[in-house]
Amino acid sequence: MTDHVRWGILGAANFAREHMGPAIHLAKRGRLAGLATSSAEKAAPFAALAPGLQVFDSYEALLADPEIDAVYIPLPNHLHVEWALKALDAGKHVLVEKPLAMKADEFDAVIEARNRTGLLAAEAYMIVHHPQWQKAKALFEDGVIGRLIRVSGAFSYDNRADVGNIRNKPDTGGGAIPDIGVYIYGAARFVTGEEPERILSARINRENGVDVWSHITADFPSFHYTGVVSMRMAQWQDMTFHGKDGVMRLTAPFNPQVYGQAEIELHRKTASGEPEVSTIRFPAVNHYVEQVSAFNRSVLMGSDYPCPLEFSRGTQAMIDMVWAAERAG
């Protein structure tokens, strides 16, 4: 390996073209070196972004190339585990789009392969790399809102018109919870360091076999949780941590710059008892770039990766609990 990580992408997905391809190109100590696609038309935007890009006509050909150090996998959800394992067995570090797996125990094979090969494997849970979330965790741990009582999360958009979208198809692992539930569930776990004890309620609406709207409530060891995700509602993002002494609210917590500016609002009282709102702003950070830069550091320098597979497995375990609560009625 050189002094930078040479990246390949399996498939010319729209998300890879719009977000992760540019992020790999911009990240410190990384280079977009390869793309696996049989479509010259789909390869063109990537080649324009990264001159000298090598285009492979199959995933297997990219994985066999010794000039590729790491691969990003943005394939449909149901293919993530299969190709993560193939990439690790081919000697490549792996960053897999979320959700890495459809059930928590499916993570175990990838964790075993990571441990066996000594390579880095991670789910692309980009928000934990953003300073908005790192600051929120630090503020919570410093006790600025006092004893935590309630956490609520909401993430919604409307893609009902896009009937061909893989998120609207059950055979590709579609659904709102696999797509965006990972954010509102994992964010609560990341900030608090706690795991859900039980799902109190799970109301889920489905269309064509996929969940399109859900409202869940859960008990964590020290707080009550409420979460809503939907692919059939007006666009909205919000995470709120409500404590005895204050409220911490994160705006644009999942798609900063695209949805809005990332901010942390702190609602507390002054020493004289007057209400006070202070705002911390993060106007220019790209969390996809930060994610790839962190991955490169871990590969090249051996530093701890901020979002290990064990954390991502825990979020999927919470999703599994939601599915079980739905089945139980």
Side-chain angles (χ1 to χ4, degrees):
M1 187 181 298
T2 64
D3 62 350
H4 61 275
V5 177
R6 299 167 296 186
W7 283 86
I9 300 176
L10 297 189
N14 290 339
F15 188 80
R17 184 186 72 246
E18 296 171 1
H19 297 289
M20 285 300 294
I24 292 170
H25 184 66
L26 293 170
K28 296 177 181 178
R29 303 189 71 179
R31 180 170 69 88
L32 180 55
L35 173 71
T37 179
S38 59
S39 170
E41 180 182 358
K42 291 183 178 180
F46 293 88
L49 171 70
L53 179 79
Q54 184 171 359
V55 179
F56 301 84
D57 61 5
S58 71
Y59 302 156
E60 291 85 355
L62 185 149
L63 294 182
D65 193 314
E67 299 299 310
I68 299 296
D69 304 312
V71 295
Y72 167 64
I73 301 177
L75 301 174
N77 295 342
H78 69 298
L79 299 175
H80 288 174
V81 170
E82 174 188 353
W83 284 98
L85 292 173
K86 288 180 178 180
L88 288 166
D89 287 339
K92 312 301 183 186
H93 303 280
V94 180
L95 181 63
V96 188
E97 196 49 60
K98 52 81 195 156
L100 183 147
M102 305 309 298
K103 294 181 179 179
D105 60 8
E106 294 175 358
F107 274 79
D108 296 339
V110 184
I111 291 172
E112 186 281 328
R114 177 203 65 187
N115 294 344
R116 171 172 47 83
T117 61
L119 297 164
L120 177 58
E123 182 184 67
Y125 193 65
M126 72 290 185
I127 68 170
V128 301
H129 303 276
H130 198 289
Q132 178 194 36
W133 281 103
Q134 294 166 358
K135 183 65 172 179
K137 182 176 179 65
L139 290 169
F140 171 77
E141 292 175 347
D142 287 345
V144 297
I145 61 171
R147 181 174 62 85
L148 186 61
I149 299 171
R150 178 184 68 90
V151 175
S152 65
F155 193 174
S156 63
Y157 58 85
D158 192 338
N159 74 348
R160 74 187 74 201
D162 190 5
V163 294
N165 193 301
I166 61 172
R167 296 166 182 82
N168 285 318
K169 296 181 177 182
D171 57 343
T172 54
I177 292 176
D179 184 41
I180 54 179
V182 293
Y183 293 121
I184 68 165
Y185 301 168
R189 297 176 54 249
F190 175 71
V191 169
T192 67
E194 295 189 13
E195 302 293 344
E197 293 182 323
R198 59 174 179 156
I199 305 300
L200 301 173
S201 64
R203 181 182 173 189
I204 300 174
N205 292 349
R206 294 179 179 272
E207 295 176 10
N208 189 37
V210 299
D211 63 290
V212 297
W213 178 91
S214 65
H215 176 275
I216 75 114
T217 60
D219 269 341
F220 281 69
S222 67
F223 63 91
H224 180 80
Y225 177 85
T226 302
V228 174
V229 295
S230 178
M231 303 189 299
R232 298 294 184 268
M233 293 170 66
Q235 189 179 45
W236 186 254
Q237 299 181 19
D238 181 83
M239 283 295 297
T240 299
F241 298 81
H242 196 157
K244 178 179 178 293
D245 301 323
V247 176
M248 179 171 65
R249 176 175 177 260
L250 282 74
T251 67
F254 311 122
N255 290 120
Q257 299 184 39
V258 176
Y259 176 76
Q261 180 169 263
E263 299 178 350
I264 298 174
E265 296 176 0
L266 288 174
H267 298 252
R268 294 177 294 177
K269 289 184 177 180
T270 65
S272 60
E274 296 298 317
E276 177 184 63
V277 180
S278 57
T279 303
I280 307 170
R281 297 178 174 86
F282 307 88
V285 179
N286 184 314
H287 52 192
Y288 301 114
V289 174
E290 295 300 317
Q291 174 180 244
V292 179
S293 294
F295 195 99
N296 293 343
R297 285 194 301 272
S298 294
V299 168
L300 296 171
M301 303 170 62
S303 56
D304 289 338
Y305 188 68
C307 191
L309 286 178
E310 287 79 1
F311 174 85
S312 297
R313 189 190 192 284
T315 299
Q316 185 59 49
M318 182 173 177
I319 293 174
D320 291 351
M321 291 172 67
V322 171
W323 298 141
E326 179 196 22
R327 290 192 297 270

